Amino acid sequence: THYAGLLVEDLVRDAGLPSDLVQVVIGAGGTGEALVRGGPDKVFFTGGSETGRRILAAAADSLTPVVLELGGKDPAVVLADADLERAARGIVWAGLLNAGQSCISVERVFVVEEVYDLFLRELLTQVHKVKTGTTPGTDMGPMTMETQLAWVEHQIAEAVERGGTIVMGGARADPASNVLQPTVLTELDPDSSVLNEETFGPVLPVVRVKDVEEAVTRANDVSLALSGSVWTRNRDRGIAVARRLRAGAVSVNDVIVHFAVPGLPFGGVGESGFGRSHGPEGLGEMTRTRSILVDRFGLAREPWWYPYDKKTQRMMTGTLLMRVQGGL
């Protein structure tokens, strides 16, 4: 990941931008704290919720404004009238992209019981097609850090201890490898961490729900609220359900791609952070509004300046009445 950061400097240089416009600093938590406490005009942080809290606390000392783009526990809601093949393909791609290491990857799948069995069968078919490994030509590679992989394995083990079922995957491709097999979990305890805390790995928990009402309730019952998706052939119904999901962005019959639309603001709610990037809102985050008012008429004095008299009072009263009531 350090090399990826350093590539930003190369891109800026190759684009012909001024050499001191972008500076990349590589380091751990101490480096980040020094940057936050160093008096920048603004801090824009992308990362985990706990680190986000520490950054917000450090920035409070100098009242430095902060935008926090934090983790997600992004739900996919599959309705009874969904195109199940498209839904399964999209959800598998979004759940396993970059080995699940994306803040807007699908981390929970809620399927209405009418189509639950059919959808699960289609999902497993699509997961089975995903080629994993470390050689060229694979679809899904290894996880970046051993510590993150250990956390994902902990969530899987805890889910099984609570009565969950591993339908597919659940283990490393090789004991010495950071490649975790794409994992599908069912029959999960609602209190399992895999349904409530960010996983950030190639795991798809599939949950049977009675109807769309239960799906929306379960989807919203997590403090992390970054993005989500709704799958249905009825576009109007999809939009209606999307409006009810607690999230910074929701896609209907698609997933993740909203991040690639520059005009759409991107950001989260609750423990997924606050503030926005992209779109007019994102540009606004990177500016300071300055209001300038210039006198237009050049009078000797404004009517509301001292001294006050009855004429001033009548004028002010009439002006207020005209603004409030539309007439004198």
Side-chain angles (χ1 to χ4, degrees), residues 24-228:
V24 176
V25 179
I26 301 299
T31 303
E33 182 175 6
L35 290 171
V36 173
R37 295 188 183 277
D41 290 329
K42 189 150 190 173
V43 173
F44 190 111
F45 172 73
T46 300
S49 299
E50 290 304 317
T51 304
R53 288 189 180 92
R54 291 196 290 270
I55 287 174
L56 190 60
D61 290 341
S62 57
L63 294 181
T64 298
V66 175
V67 173
L68 298 176
E69 185 182 301
L70 308 178
K73 195 65 187 168
D74 309 307
V77 176
V78 181
L79 305 186
D81 64 344
D83 180 334
L84 298 184
E85 182 178 352
R86 177 177 175 84
R89 286 178 179 271
I91 288 169
V92 167
W93 173 75
L96 304 183
L97 180 67
N98 198 35
Q101 297 164 115
S102 168
C103 57
I104 51 176
S105 67
V106 172
E107 292 218 351
R108 297 176 294 156
V109 185
F110 298 101
V111 188
V112 296
E113 59 184 359
E114 297 170 58
V115 295
Y116 176 87
D117 292 333
L118 290 173
F119 173 80
L120 181 60
R121 187 181 310 150
E122 183 63 41
L123 183 82
L124 294 173
T125 298
Q126 299 303 329
V127 172
H128 185 71
K129 296 178 182 178
V130 178
K131 295 176 289 185
T132 62
T134 58
T135 58
T138 57
D139 299 316
M140 193 194 85
M143 297 188 64
T144 55
M145 295 183 295
E146 175 69 26
T147 53
Q148 183 60 35
L149 175 54
W151 164 248
V152 176
E153 290 176 325
H154 163 76
Q155 281 198 334
I156 295 171
E158 186 218 39
V160 173
E161 289 175 5
R162 289 175 171 268
T165 300
I166 299 175
V167 182
M168 181 176 285
R172 303 189 191 200
D174 180 273
S177 170
N178 274 12
V179 177
L180 180 67
Q181 297 172 350
T183 301
V184 179
L185 302 173
T186 62
E187 308 301 327
L188 294 159
D189 184 326
D191 294 327
S192 298
S193 64
V194 76
L195 289 178
N196 295 280
E197 300 178 45
E198 187 174 31
T199 301
F200 216 64
V203 179
L204 286 169
V206 185
V207 179
R208 185 196 306 264
V209 293
K210 180 180 179 182
D211 51 28
V212 65
E213 296 301 319
E214 183 183 353
V216 170
T217 299
R218 296 283 298 274
N220 290 342
D221 193 26
V222 170
S223 56
L224 292 164
L226 188 56
S227 68

